[in-house]
Amino acid sequence: MGLTKVLIVRHGQTDHNKKGIMQGQLDVALNETGEAQAKACARWIKQRYSLDAIYTSQLARAYTTAQAIAALQNCEVVREPELQEIDVGEWQGLTYPEARERDPEVWQKLAEEPVHTKRPGGESFWDLYQRTTRCVAQLVQHHPDQTICLVTHGGSLRALLAYVLDVPPAPFGFRLTLDNTGVSICEYVQKHKRWQVHTINTTCHLTREEE
């Protein structure tokens, strides 16, 4: 049939997530909660799926999450830079209020045109959308009749879900709540060149304290 099942996983929690600090492409490690989330997610996937390949952003928080998943599967982790988070440029390491105070004009423009406005020294959501969706379109062609897992980030995941649902990237993507190690499950039907979405942000593997 040529059907590719795709599990898309957001990385586990970091201290920057907890504190509301923009990470962008900063290489931030998982915290203790994030490591526990990654292991719980790995167990949940193992109980339900046998993965043929795991692709991950090369950033530590995603790569470590992918390694936890791979430890319970019979496949290797492949780093894929195009799955990394949006580059927020000069806003990396800032909280949202700090970024708004630093660049009020850019912040206002971002509110008015969220898709095409670039962060200072960084990317726009459209830049992110183009590279992540290009990557996934190529990966599903390489894996007909297989099950693959993509480990990525909140912004990248929003772009990918907008793509597979064939809806405009905004405001759809910005209205989604996507938890750390939430799992979204999609299928690509090769014959019809069509995506089908089964679940978005499954978090039943997490305890209340981890969410």
Side-chain angles (χ1 to χ4, degrees), residues 8-10 152-162 176 178 182 184:
I8 314 177
V9 179
R10 188 185 176 199
T152 187
H153 306 265
S156 306
L157 185 50
R158 287 177 170 84
L160 291 173
L161 288 173
L176 288 175
L178 298 171
S184 299

Side-chain angles (χ1 to χ4, degrees), residues 107-122:
W107 192 271
Q108 180 60 35
K109 187 177 179 182
L110 189 61
E112 296 168 354
E113 179 43 85
V115 175
H116 296 286
T117 301
K118 292 182 182 290
R119 283 73 178 160

Side-chain angles (χ1 to χ4, degrees), residues 50-79:
S50 176
L51 301 177
D52 296 291
I54 301 173
Y55 295 91
T56 179
S57 156
Q58 81 276 25
L59 297 175
R61 56 193 185 272
Y63 185 69
T64 303
T65 303
Q67 285 183 307
I69 296 170
L72 302 183
Q73 300 283 338
N74 187 29
C75 60
E76 296 182 355
V77 175
V78 179
R79 292 180 176 90

Side-chain angles (χ1 to χ4, degrees), residues 151-183:
V151 185
T152 187
H153 306 265
S156 306
L157 185 50
R158 287 177 170 84
L160 291 173
L161 288 173
Y163 170 68
V164 300
L165 288 166
D166 194 23
V167 296
F172 168 80
F174 303 106
R175 292 178 178 173
L176 288 175
T177 296
L178 298 171
D179 297 286
N180 291 112
T181 69
V183 182

